[in-house]
Amino acid sequence: MAQTSAETIKTTPLYEQHLAANGRMVPFGGYSLPVQYASGIMAEHKWTREHAGLFDVSHMGPGFLTLNNPGGDAEADHAAVAAIIEPLICGDITGLKPGNIRYTMLLNDQGGVIDDLMVGRSPLLGGALYIVVNAGTKDGDFAIIEAAAGDKARLMRADADNALLALQGPEAVQVLARIAPGAEDLSFMQYRAFDWNGERLIISRAGYTGEDGFEILVSAANAARLWDALLADDRVQPAGLGARDSLRLEAGLPLYGHDLDASVSPIEAGLGFAVSKRRREAADFPGASRILAEREGAPGRIRVGLMVEGAPAREGAEILDAAGSVIGVVTSGGFAPSLGKAIAMGFVPPSHAEIGTALQVSVRGRAQAATVVPTPFVPHRYFRKSKAS
């Protein structure tokens, strides 16, 4: 993909808010976004872990896939729209309950990941799906989905005239409940619409920090007002791309274009849970033969977590075995503020993927000790309702 030139860098509806808050703006995913604010990445990271961090993720690709001619039967309409997207992905969308969201992957014919995405079933009638894809791949993703939809459905992109905010952290639920009463009733990976000052907000209990939190789709016209309303709460501080990356790394979550790409399968990436049982049994998804074979046997490489001694091993650093032979590469790495240590993720052969395996990483030409450890590095704190509730 060609690099985006400075002349075509876009701004989000919250650009002026970032400047007013002394955000240090950088190009990312074709947009000018804050990498950090005055307090710095470390402080923003820790604030999110302890309170609530507010992120602008408007560069992402939200959209709605809606039937052109819904029949009025909720289950039939949902089955029809699910049948459009399921041949492209490995998730069971037909089985989604109203208002629930599924993490899944758009796959190529070789079983490689074109993108990872969220697909939610509308809690309303009409056979609609709420879809959120990654920023760098959204144009290609939406083109694939539109081609599959043909004349059966229409894809309404919501990235041009909306903003997407992520409120993340243990106090996010109390903050958001004051603005959108009832949001606290959502469980992890559920969403619905809420009214706020005459505005319809689409709120999902989700995020990419490992913390409890929410993503909020709001019109561009009201984005700044919502941003300011959230920041008016003393429990909320703005956070930039730097903290978002360190939080997701501690949470052991892969980032597309780094830990995931078109050559990596869900099994290699350690995301086999996203290949739904019904889809496995039917073997009716792209690259099924490779993915199912890897699931039953052993893939050629596996994504692992590494605890690194010394300086952080960044993306591209070589992973070495105990004897010093190159066996893999780091795909994400950095300092973990919550742990006070360097951590990394990368791909190694299955023979070197067992927890506790002693490895090395090459940092600026020097071998440093590293150990394979479980992920997430920091436990997830998603909120899931008990079945009895």
Side-chain angles (χ1 to χ4, degrees), residues 65-71 73-87 93-94 121 126-129 148-149 152-153:
L65 183 64
T66 307
L67 290 178
N68 285 327
N69 297 296
D73 180 283
E75 292 304 317
D77 288 343
H78 173 65
V81 74
I84 293 170
I85 199 167
E86 279 195 351
I93 305 305
T94 301
R121 176 180 175 179
L129 299 177
K152 299 176 184 176

Side-chain angles (χ1 to χ4, degrees), residues 7-86:
E7 291 77 14
T8 59
I9 292 290
K10 300 175 184 177
T11 58
T12 76
L14 296 166
Y15 181 75
E16 296 299 331
Q17 272 60 34
H18 301 319
L19 295 182
N22 296 316
R24 182 157 71 85
M25 310 303 287
V26 299
F28 184 83
Y31 289 79
S32 179
L33 290 166
V35 67
Q36 67 179 72
Y37 297 89
S39 59
I41 294 172
M42 184 88 69
E44 293 165 20
H45 178 113
K46 291 184 175 180
W47 185 273
T48 303
R49 285 273 185 247
E50 297 168 4
H51 304 288
L54 183 61
F55 302 80
D56 180 7
V57 292
S58 303
H59 57 302
M60 301 290 284
F64 298 89
L65 183 64
T66 307
L67 290 178
N68 285 327
N69 297 296
D73 180 283
E75 292 304 317
D77 288 343
H78 173 65
V81 74
I84 293 170
I85 199 167
E86 279 195 351

Side-chain angles (χ1 to χ4, degrees), residues 114-183:
I114 297 172
D115 196 14
D116 59 336
L117 65 156
M118 301 287 197
V119 180
R121 176 180 175 179
S122 172
L124 306 174
L125 296 176
L129 299 177
Y130 178 41
I131 300 170
V132 182
V133 301
N134 281 303
T137 56
K138 62 184 178 182
D139 291 337
D141 291 356
F142 285 147
I144 291 170
I145 295 170
E146 284 180 323
D151 59 1
K152 299 176 184 176
R154 62 190 181 279
L155 178 66
M156 297 180 290
R157 293 183 60 156
D159 54 330
D161 53 0
N162 289 274
L164 191 62
L165 283 58
L167 183 66
Q168 302 282 296
E171 295 181 342
V173 61
Q174 295 96 334
V175 172
L176 193 57
R178 294 177 59 181
I179 285 179

